[in-house]
Amino acid sequence: MQKVKPSLLRGFDQEYLPQDQLHFNRLIDIIRRNFELYGFLPIETPSAERREVLTSKGGVEKEIYALTRLAEADDDEAATKGALRFDLTVPLARYVAMRERELAFPFRRYQIQRVWRGETPQAKKGRWREFYQCDIDIIGRDKLSYLAEAEIPSVIHSVFKEMAIGEFRIRINNRKVLRGLLQAFGVADDKAAAVLRILDKTEKEDAAKIRADLERGGVSSAGKLLELITTRRTTDETLSSLEQITNDTARKGLDELRSIVTAIRQFGVPDSAFAVDLGVVRGLDYYTGTIYETTLVSAPELGSICSGGRYDDLASYFTETRLPGVGISIGLTRLFSRLKDAGLLQPLARTPAEVLVTTMDARYLDRYLSMARRLREAGINTEVYLETAKLGNQLTYADRKGFRVALIAGENEFAKDAVQLKNLAAKTARDVQLGEMVQAVQTTLKNAS
């Protein structure tokens, strides 16, 4: 029989060895724990949605993977009308529109699931066609307090502080402020989107090129606009600098920013962790108020590790009810890849591989299993080596898998009602009485962590 070469599809090739998967799962646990700490409730939506739901906003058809079967039946609705979700926002909009009468508003939800997107994969930039997103949203019915916009940075701060990945900064801006700025510099509304796309490149391209592009885009005093956008200031300095822009749009945005900054501080986010940054210009075709981007201070080249913003109406394509909201998304697959490459992942405090009970003599199987049972009842992750192998091979297995303790006992040890406790990290060993085994293992693991 001809063998099939084992291989993966490009863009669907992000899978991990067990140790890396444990690191990935730890990040999910941290994110979930902090989302729940702020009262967000979990939901999951189907991987596949109706095509008309996913394409309701238009312009995303090239990114959507449709469902099919290798041998499909004529009556298979999913194969003819279904497609894989490309984000978690559109399914959320459909979910809320369908279940509006069953939900309590403001509706605070989190969702941690895979999405599929037909983009060009770039492994070096952490971009794949299948990846995890971790989203939170606060959705109101007809209205939503500005305090919800201020709470989001507090959640972000809580998540990344626990991840311990280094100093980070939550950069915030306001759509009205940016629109007002462009108006002040003579940019017509129909050219605003193009100008903002140029300004979005300020951290990646030469300032002279950006200025030339702005001038070609019809921006008067392009150099002054570029300086205002790119100059790094404290939050209070940035707010003061905006006072020179006096049109109504900018003034309204500035008032919103001042209120939100005050509330962010009341939520306990330190000034070192957030800043008003006029260089944050993404998502302005969708967001209507505050927008967020989060970057690592020591590794800005990683780009935004968490982004989002305020929107006026989540589900206008599905319901007449106005559903304003605010939310953020963490692209976890990309984040994990970049953190791993940058060496910023923290050592795991605990893994499933804590204690290995070796088996030197099959006559004592009952005792080996009893030892493991006692350890597990004490909450200690324990594996029994069940194959027939020399002790040296069992210890090699323990090293490769990352066990921290090995328990060794044969006829001589059991005759003394004892077991040898081997600290694999410190490469030390000592005998302990079986009655004291659990406590001795707990002490060894605690000292090794």
Side-chain angles (χ1 to χ4, degrees):
M1 182 178 69
Q2 184 176 1
K3 303 295 184 184
V4 176
K5 181 182 178 181
S7 61
L8 295 169
L9 292 169
R10 184 167 175 254
F12 297 85
D13 50 357
Q14 187 68 357
E15 63 180 13
Y16 309 119
L17 290 171
Q19 196 67 13
D20 285 339
Q21 188 67 54
L22 289 169
H23 276 287
F24 188 87
N25 292 351
R26 171 183 171 268
L27 297 187
I28 287 182
D29 290 342
I30 289 173
I31 292 168
R32 179 183 292 111
R33 180 165 55 251
N34 282 280
F35 286 174
E36 292 182 351
L37 194 64
Y38 280 78
F40 290 87
L41 299 174
I43 70 166
E44 287 196 358
T45 57
S47 300
E49 298 272 357
R50 290 182 174 275
R51 295 181 186 182
E52 64 267 25
V53 169
L54 295 177
T55 59
S56 57
K57 293 187 178 181
V60 293
E61 286 77 5
K62 289 184 178 180
E63 297 183 358
I64 296 175
Y65 285 100
L67 295 183
T68 186
R69 286 169 59 182
L70 297 182
E72 74 182 49
D74 293 336
D75 61 347
D76 189 343
E77 181 185 43
T80 57
K81 298 182 179 180
L84 295 174
R85 60 171 177 255
F86 63 91
D87 73 357
L88 298 179
T89 301
V90 174
L92 172 65
R94 189 268 310 151
Y95 179 97
V96 175
M98 285 182 65
R99 305 178 184 278
E100 179 186 343
R101 294 180 181 275
E102 305 169 71
L103 299 174
F105 289 90
F107 177 50
R108 301 166 69 92
R109 87 79 166 90
Y110 77 83
Q111 191 169 354
I112 302 173
Q113 287 188 276
R114 294 176 187 265
V115 300
W116 296 265
R117 194 173 297 172
E119 297 179 325
T120 302
Q122 297 174 283
K124 291 184 178 180
K125 294 185 177 182
R127 292 177 181 169
W128 287 270
R129 289 172 170 166
E130 178 184 32
F131 52 94
Y132 269 93
Q133 282 191 190
C134 309
D135 289 15
I136 54 169
D137 285 85
I138 306 173
I139 302 163
R141 185 157 52 191
D142 297 324
K143 63 179 182 178
L144 185 70
S145 169
Y146 77 95
L147 292 173
E149 296 174 66
E151 186 180 30
I152 292 294
S154 182
V155 182
I156 299 172
H157 179 258
S158 182
V159 168
F160 292 119
K161 181 180 178 182
E162 184 174 347
M163 280 190 187
I165 55 177
E167 187 180 356
F168 57 90
R169 185 148 298 126
I170 305 159
R171 303 160 63 201
I172 68 172
N173 202 353
N174 181 282
R175 174 171 176 162
K176 297 181 184 71
V177 165
L178 282 167
R179 293 294 187 193
L181 278 177
L182 296 188
Q183 290 172 15
F185 282 86
V187 179
D189 287 346
D190 61 346
K191 294 183 179 180
V195 171
L196 289 171
R197 281 193 292 271
I198 295 171
L199 291 173
D200 191 31
K201 302 175 183 177
T202 55
E203 296 179 355
K204 304 173 184 176
E205 295 186 0
D206 180 72
K209 183 179 184 306
I210 297 292
R211 179 173 178 171
D213 289 344
L214 290 173
E215 290 172 345
R216 281 193 293 270
V219 179
S220 61
S221 304
K224 186 176 179 181
L225 174 61
L226 187 59
E227 180 183 2
L228 184 61
I229 292 289
T230 58
T231 299
R232 292 291 172 258
R233 310 173 183 86
T234 67
T235 290
D236 291 333
E237 288 171 346
T238 300
L239 294 175
S240 296
S241 72
L242 290 172
E243 291 178 357
Q244 62 183 292
I245 311 299
T246 58
N247 62 64
D248 290 343
T249 304
R251 297 302 301 176
K252 186 174 182 180
L254 179 57
D255 289 343
E256 289 180 3
L257 266 181
R258 288 190 185 281
S259 296
I260 287 167
V261 165
T262 298
I264 290 173
R265 288 167 172 160
Q266 290 173 330
F267 273 106
V269 181
D271 278 22
S272 60
F274 82 97
V276 173
D277 189 334
L278 301 180
V280 177
V281 301
R282 295 179 185 179
L284 292 185
D285 55 342
Y286 177 62
Y287 297 122
T288 56
T290 308
I291 48 180
Y292 317 92
E293 283 192 2
T294 306
T295 53
L296 289 177
V297 174
S298 62
E301 68 278 5
L302 298 186
S304 177
I305 59 175
C306 173
S307 59
R310 164 78 182 237
Y311 44 85
D312 275 344
D313 200 350
L314 172 73
S316 59
Y317 292 92
F318 307 119
T319 178
E320 294 298 325
T321 304
R322 182 172 170 270
L323 298 167
V326 61
I328 52 98
S329 179
I330 301 172
L332 184 58
T333 304
R334 178 176 178 270
L335 174 62
F336 177 78
S337 171
R338 305 304 294 273
L339 292 177
K340 180 184 174 186
D341 291 345
L344 294 174
L345 291 173
Q346 296 299 308
L348 294 170
R350 185 180 182 189
T351 77
E354 289 190 307
V355 178
L356 178 67
V357 177
T358 62
T359 52
M360 293 178 60
D361 191 332
R363 293 177 300 167
Y364 300 109
L365 179 61
D366 280 351
R367 295 201 180 190
Y368 298 135
L369 297 179
S370 176
M371 289 162 56
R373 186 164 56 251
R374 288 172 56 200
L375 290 166
R376 290 171 186 145
E377 288 172 352
I380 299 170
N381 298 339
T382 304
E383 178 183 339
V384 180
Y385 195 93
L386 299 175
E387 303 298 321
T388 302
K390 294 180 179 179
L391 178 60
N393 291 338
Q394 295 184 49
L395 293 177
T396 297
Y397 169 81
D399 281 331
R400 290 195 64 181
K401 195 169 177 181
F403 282 98
R404 293 193 284 171
V405 170
L407 297 178
I408 303 167
E411 183 176 3
N412 292 337
E413 286 78 14
F414 285 128
K416 297 183 292 184
D417 202 25
V419 62
Q420 184 184 109
L421 189 157
K422 190 173 182 67
N423 185 329
L424 297 173
K427 300 188 184 305
T428 59
R430 62 190 177 95
D431 287 349
V432 299
Q433 293 301 115
L434 281 171
E436 301 171 358
M437 176 191 67
V438 172
Q439 183 178 356
V441 168
Q442 289 174 327
T443 300
T444 301
L445 292 175
K446 181 179 179 180
N447 291 339
S449 61

